[in-house]
Amino acid sequence: MSENIPEDLKYTDTHEWVKMKNEKTVVVGITDHAQKELTDIVFVELPPVGKEFKKGEEMCIVESIKSVSEIYAPVSGKIVAVNKEIEDSPEKINSSPYSEGWLVEIELSNRDEINSLLDAESYKKLLSK
């Protein structure tokens, strides 16, 4: 099974991906592996802009035809943008998890947390277990 794991992203062991947008903001979504496990995504509950999360806290919910999954904040910070398009078209998470299917943008409260995330190679090893 071939997984799409872009080299330029960071990952969590709960299958979120993180991309640096600029010095203090990251874009977050779920990985290709996660969307495949969920199958057809039918609903997304995104957090309100302005809400703050600590790393590891439940941040949003993704619902598929077979399950409901919590999505956790991969880093601590404040939600500065949400992807409104996936509220109307949640299937974009399945078809394009790394671009059109992003979930939120977070303004980092502790940039060092990025260093604790997995790189692509480490994430591949996690999936192979």
Side-chain angles (χ1 to χ4, degrees):
M1 172 157 71
S2 161
E3 299 287 349
N4 178 6
I5 304 172
E7 294 288 331
D8 61 331
L9 303 178
K10 294 286 195 172
Y11 300 89
T12 68
D13 56 8
T14 50
H15 310 290
E16 291 87 14
W17 58 261
V18 177
K19 177 168 72 178
M20 291 300 298
K21 183 177 180 185
N22 56 41
E23 276 306 299
K24 61 180 200 264
T25 307
V26 295
V27 181
V28 177
I30 65 170
T31 64
D32 187 39
H33 174 79
Q35 70 80 16
K36 282 179 184 163
E37 291 289 305
L38 285 166
T39 66
D40 298 329
I41 295 171
V42 294
F43 177 76
V44 182
E45 186 181 311
L46 296 170
V49 170
K51 185 158 173 60
E52 296 197 26
F53 291 95
K54 289 194 169 36
K55 180 179 178 169
E57 284 184 331
E58 184 182 310
M59 179 177 72
C60 44
I61 294 182
V62 174
E63 206 172 301
S64 71
I65 53 175
K66 69 176 194 180
S67 68
V68 175
S69 293
E70 294 80 26
I71 308 301
Y72 301 99
V75 291
S76 302
K78 181 169 72 177
I79 303 294
V80 291
V82 296
N83 185 352
K84 290 282 186 205
E85 280 188 26
I86 60 170
E87 289 183 323
D88 297 328
S89 306
E91 67 279 359
K92 285 186 176 179
I93 298 171
N94 291 119
S95 61
S96 182
Y98 298 115
S99 57
E100 290 179 21
W102 64 277
L103 300 173
V104 299
E105 289 184 13
I106 299 175
E107 186 177 86
L108 299 167
S109 56
N110 178 357
R111 194 172 189 292
D112 291 343
E113 287 179 346
I114 293 288
N115 301 329
S116 68
L117 299 173
L118 303 171
D119 61 15
E121 203 49 49
S122 301
Y123 184 65
K124 281 178 196 156
K125 285 187 181 120
L126 175 83
L127 293 182
S128 66
K129 286 183 179 161

